[in-house]
Structures are given as C-alpha cells and as structure tokens.
Amino acid sequence: MTDRVQSILDWIATVPLEELRKHPLHPQNRPEKMWRYYPAKAWLPPICQKNYGKWKKRRIIDPGIVEVTSETGDKLYLVKIIIPVRISTKSMYELLDLADKYGIGWIEASKMGNLIIMCDNEENARALAKELRERGYLVGGWGNRLWNIKICSTYITCTTAVLDAVTIEKALGDVLYEYTQKELPAKLTIKVSACPNACGGGFDAADIGIVGYPASIPMMEGWRIRVLCPPRSLLEACPVGDIKMIKDEKGRPIAAEIRGQVCMACGRCHDFCDAIAYDPAEIGVMVLVGGKCANTGVGPGMAKVFVPFIPAEPPRWPTLVAVIKKIIDVWVANAKKGERLRDFIERIGWDKFYELTGIPKPEDYIKPLDKAPGWTRYGWQPLYLRRTDENKRYIGTRISNDMMAISAAIFEDIIK
Ligand code: SF4
Ligand code: SF4
C-alpha cells in the first residue's frame, strides 16, 4: 500500500460519516460517476410517462392493433409484428423507418418476442398495419389468438443446444399461422427450447411448451479430451459424478470416459467440451401443456409433460407439428370462451383430454418397456428410468432402446 493511500485511509478513519458524505469526492456528490438504479419509467416514451398509471381501457380493433385509452383522454395504438427470434438488420432498419413514418418513433420488444410499434392515432396505425402486411410482415396475435412461437437462441449462440429450435418454429409457424389472426377461446402461447435449460421457456408459463433433450447419454471421443480440455475440469463439470478419468501408467490424467450409470444427460459436459456430442439419431422433444402466469381460471401453474418423447425429425418435424395441431384443435373445438388450455383440461380432466386428442398416456407405453427389477421412479426426463438394485442403490439411468421405434409408431395415426 502506498503512503498516499494509507494517509487517505487514516484521514477517513478520523472523519465523522456525515462529514465524509459532504466531501465532493463522495460518490453521492458525483451522480454522473455512480452505478445507480435507473428507474424503468425513464425509458418510456413521453406519452406513456404522462399517462403512467392512468390507462383505463383497452380495445382490440384489429388482430394486430390494440387501442389503449387513458383517463386523460390520450390514446395509444399498439401495432404488433410477430417476428422470429432472429431478425436481419435490414428488416430492423425497415421497421424503425416505419415506426418514424407512422408512429411516434418508439418500438417495444415484448416478452413473447414480438415487436410493437406505437402510434398516436388510429388512421396511422391502420395504415402501418396495411403497409407491414404488404411488405410480408405478420401483423396479429393480440387478444384471444396465438401470441407467437417463442424460441431460445439455440445453435447460433449456444453450445448446449440438443436440436435446432428454429426449424421447429418455422415448421409450426407455417401450420399455425392462421391462429394469429382468427379468434380462439383464449390467449395461446407456445415456447420452444432446444435443451432442458429452457431459456426459451417451455417448462413454465406456456400454454404449449416444447423442450429438446437427448434420449441417450452423450458420446465422447475420450482421446480428444486431452487435446480439447483438461480431464479433471471435465470431471468437476458433471453434477452426478458419472465421468471417469483415465490415467496413464504414472497416474497422470490422459482422457475421460462417461460411465453411463447415473448420467441424466444434462449436457453440462457437452457444453464444456467439443469432444462430447449427442447422437443425432437419438434426440427428440417433450411436449408440455397448461403452463400460465394468469390468475384467471384455475390460476397460475407450471406446464405438465403431455408427450414425453417425440424423435427429432428436422427440418419439418411432421409428428411434432401434428401433435401440436391436434392439441390446439381439440381445445378450440371444446373449450368455453375465455378458457385457457390449462383451464379447459382441468375442467374436463387429463384422461379425457388424452382421449379427445387420441394421444396415448405416457404410462401406457413407458412402464412396460423396462422389466428391470426394482426401478422406482422417473427422473426429471421422463424417459430416463432410474433403476435400483435389491439394496436400493442406483444401477443405471438409461432410456429403453426400443423407445425411439415405439414413439414413432404410436404417433402414426395422428400424423395421418
Ligand atoms: S434452452 Fe438450451 S439450447 Fe436454448 S439457449 Fe438455453 S441453454 Fe441454449
Ligand atoms: S450429460 Fe451431464 S450427467 Fe451426463 S456425463 Fe455429462 S455432465 Fe454428467
């Protein structure tokens, strides 16, 4: 410590706190230098700041335009553009220009991945929606409609991805396009995540969630480990200790191996090291239904696994698309007005919902597959059967080898 620093510390120790706070160098007196809380309200456009807490009425005047009215008499028109998670800079500049031309120059990015352009009069909002549609943008999704198919960032930025969520979004979007325009019983959200980390959602508050996961433990090229990452670090990355170190005759770590006994295919090792990969022939998705945040109906709740595994079929995902379409069509045909998917299923019962969709219940086809004695319960990935021996020790966590073929067979009728 230098003498100067020491002298400052000595001085600080002698000065009362109140005096210290008045010093011109105290951060409190230099707000421009401080890391400080920046109120969210400050980011709002002037019309929103003026009417903060005063909005009283909301009216949908077009599938893609909502009119909000303030008690001050001000009105705001929100034009919703349903976009994929990625958008080119060219499109972004195009939208910004349109926001300046028709709107008040502000764009909001919504939680479901949509862009909302704000206008201050109906004429401009309608003209904007018309021009957007003419340019090929999807304008819609307000109210009781499909709000968007939201996906995680998947391969482009993420090393954990099990599959490509973008192709799922495209395949589903092509089929579900009309639901962004036509009136449904209630709001509908779909979220897709390419691995069980679920950054894009799926396990939580989505009416329909799609989550990718591997149906077998990762493959490892043991010899490459020593080139690409230190084996000891790899061992530490595995939360269940399923990775074994291979040592040379002098006891030095030279490679690693996945034992496959308690591996739960979490993907941490895959994220950690490029010598570890999923077998592309053994990956797929689970489908979850009924998640929502709203306190309407039966209240908020997490989504539940509806179909535990559908093998990956990129790029058009025919089985998955058929299953999702079936779920929505059954809901649309049978739900009462205002009934979210979860409310509808809770009213008729989960068994009845399986019956109406024609999709078999998971326990009808998962349990009989495993004849190993003593297996106790499913893990968080429903296909991974955690088995124990007579002494209740775990002896393995593996998917049945027949599962892929059986999953394909049971959905054959639905695809037709
Ligand atoms: S959900 Fe998985 S694949 Fe998608 S961004 Fe998150 S970690 Fe990556
Ligand atoms: S996938 Fe997860 S549990 Fe399996 S070996 Fe890798 S880190 Fe361990």
Side-chain angles (χ1 to χ4, degrees):
M1 193 182 301
T2 64
D3 291 347
R4 178 167 161 70
V5 172
Q6 188 59 56
S7 67
I8 292 172
L9 289 175
D10 291 345
W11 173 76
I12 287 174
T14 61
V15 182
L17 195 57
E18 285 310 311
E19 286 297 314
L20 203 58
R21 286 189 179 141
K22 289 179 192 156
H23 194 280
L25 286 180
H26 190 280
Q28 193 171 288
N29 303 317
R30 307 169 74 208
E32 75 286 356
K33 297 281 183 196
M34 282 174 67
W35 287 98
R36 65 200 167 112
Y37 161 71
Y38 198 71
K41 198 175 161 184
W43 294 102
L44 298 177
I47 187 170
C48 294
Q49 294 197 27
K50 179 185 162 199
N51 294 288
Y52 198 82
K54 295 177 186 162
W55 300 108
K56 61 171 189 182
K57 200 168 142 202
R58 196 168 177 280
R59 191 166 68 98
I60 295 163
I61 57 172
D62 176 283
I65 307 174
V66 74
E67 175 199 77
V68 283
T69 310
S70 163
E71 59 192 33
T72 63
D74 286 346
K75 288 189 178 192
L76 199 56
Y77 295 82
L78 309 173
V79 181
K80 186 197 274 189
I81 308 144
I82 298 180
I83 57 160
V85 162
R86 290 165 202 141
I87 185 167
S88 69
T89 44
K90 182 171 176 285
S91 301
M92 198 65 220
Y93 278 122
E94 195 176 355
L95 294 174
L96 292 171
D97 287 343
L98 289 173
D100 285 337
K101 182 177 170 189
Y102 293 101
I104 58 172
W106 288 71
I107 284 191
E108 178 197 343
S110 82
K111 194 177 122 211
M112 277 302 289
N114 300 303
L115 290 177
I116 296 164
I117 296 181
M118 300 177 183
C119 301
D120 56 6
N121 68 72
E122 183 175 344
E123 195 185 320
N124 276 3
R126 288 194 184 276
L128 171 62
K130 184 168 176 284
E131 181 158 349
L132 284 166
R133 286 180 176 129
E134 282 168 4
R135 292 185 186 215
Y137 287 100
L138 180 54
V139 179
W142 279 127
N144 294 344
R145 295 180 176 85
L146 172 60
W147 278 43
N148 197 353
I149 302 165
K150 183 190 173 206
I151 64 168
C152 73
S153 66
T154 197
Y155 284 137
I156 203 162
T157 55
C158 184
T159 53
T160 314
V162 178
L163 42 80
D164 185 20
V166 178
T167 52
I168 297 181
E169 183 188 37
K170 170 68 178 152
L172 276 177
D174 286 349
V175 173
L176 303 180
Y177 165 86
E178 59 174 328
Y179 296 124
T180 63
Q181 306 297 315
K182 87 177 188 190
E183 186 92 11
L184 301 172
K187 172 183 176 178
L188 177 66
T189 56
I190 300 178
K191 296 181 182 174
V192 186
S193 291
C195 88
N197 284 330
C199 306
F203 287 133
D204 52 358
D207 292 291
I208 298 176
I210 297 163
V211 178
Y213 70 104
S216 63
I217 63 171
M219 305 179 295
M220 180 190 277
E221 287 185 86
W223 67 271
R224 288 180 65 204
I225 298 287
R226 67 174 179 269
V227 182
L228 292 167
C229 67
R232 190 177 294 282
S233 311
L234 191 60
L235 253 64
E236 287 163 3
C238 178
V240 292
D242 198 47
I243 299 179
K244 186 171 92 179
M245 199 181 316
I246 298 171
K247 298 178 180 174
D248 64 9
E249 61 286 353
K250 292 183 179 169
R252 292 174 301 201
I254 53 166
E257 180 187 29
I258 297 176
R259 287 183 285 208
Q261 291 177 343
V262 289
C263 170
M264 56 182 180
C266 70
R268 279 202 71 199
C269 56
H270 167 64
D271 192 23
F272 196 80
C273 179
D274 285 343
I276 297 171
Y278 299 120
D279 181 350
E282 294 204 0
I283 54 175
V285 293
M286 66 175 82
V287 177
L288 303 99
V289 298
K292 72 186 179 86
C293 292
N295 56 6
T296 54
V298 296
M302 300 282 280
K304 290 186 180 178
V305 175
F306 189 64
V307 180
F309 188 75
I310 297 175
E313 300 166 307
R316 299 305 295 170
W317 300 84
T319 309
L320 176 65
V321 170
V323 167
I324 302 296
K325 182 87 169 48
K326 192 77 187 175
I327 290 170
I328 297 173
D329 286 348
V330 166
W331 170 63
V332 170
N334 298 283
K336 296 176 183 169
K337 190 162 171 55
E339 232 174 15
R340 291 281 288 268
L341 185 55
R342 175 60 164 270
D343 303 331
F344 164 65
I345 298 173
E346 294 286 348
R347 175 169 63 80
I348 65 166
W350 287 83
D351 287 351
K352 183 69 180 171
F353 188 58
Y354 272 109
E355 189 189 317
L356 288 175
T357 53
I359 294 169
K361 288 197 285 182
E363 53 265 40
D364 291 348
Y365 58 96
I366 288 184
K367 276 183 185 170
L369 289 175
D370 195 335
K371 301 283 189 279
W375 66 269
T376 50
R377 63 184 175 88
Y378 305 119
W380 57 273
Q381 291 167 324
L383 290 184
Y384 285 79
L385 307 180
R386 289 179 179 254
R387 294 191 291 265
T388 57
D389 64 12
E390 305 72 39
N391 299 318
K392 305 288 179 205
R393 287 179 308 205
Y394 283 130
I395 56 170
T397 314
R398 285 300 307 268
I399 184 176
S400 160
N401 291 334
D402 298 331
M403 194 63 220
M404 308 288 285
I406 289 177
S407 287
I410 57 178
F411 293 112
E412 210 171 294
D413 285 349
I414 292 172
I415 299 175
K416 284 182 208 154

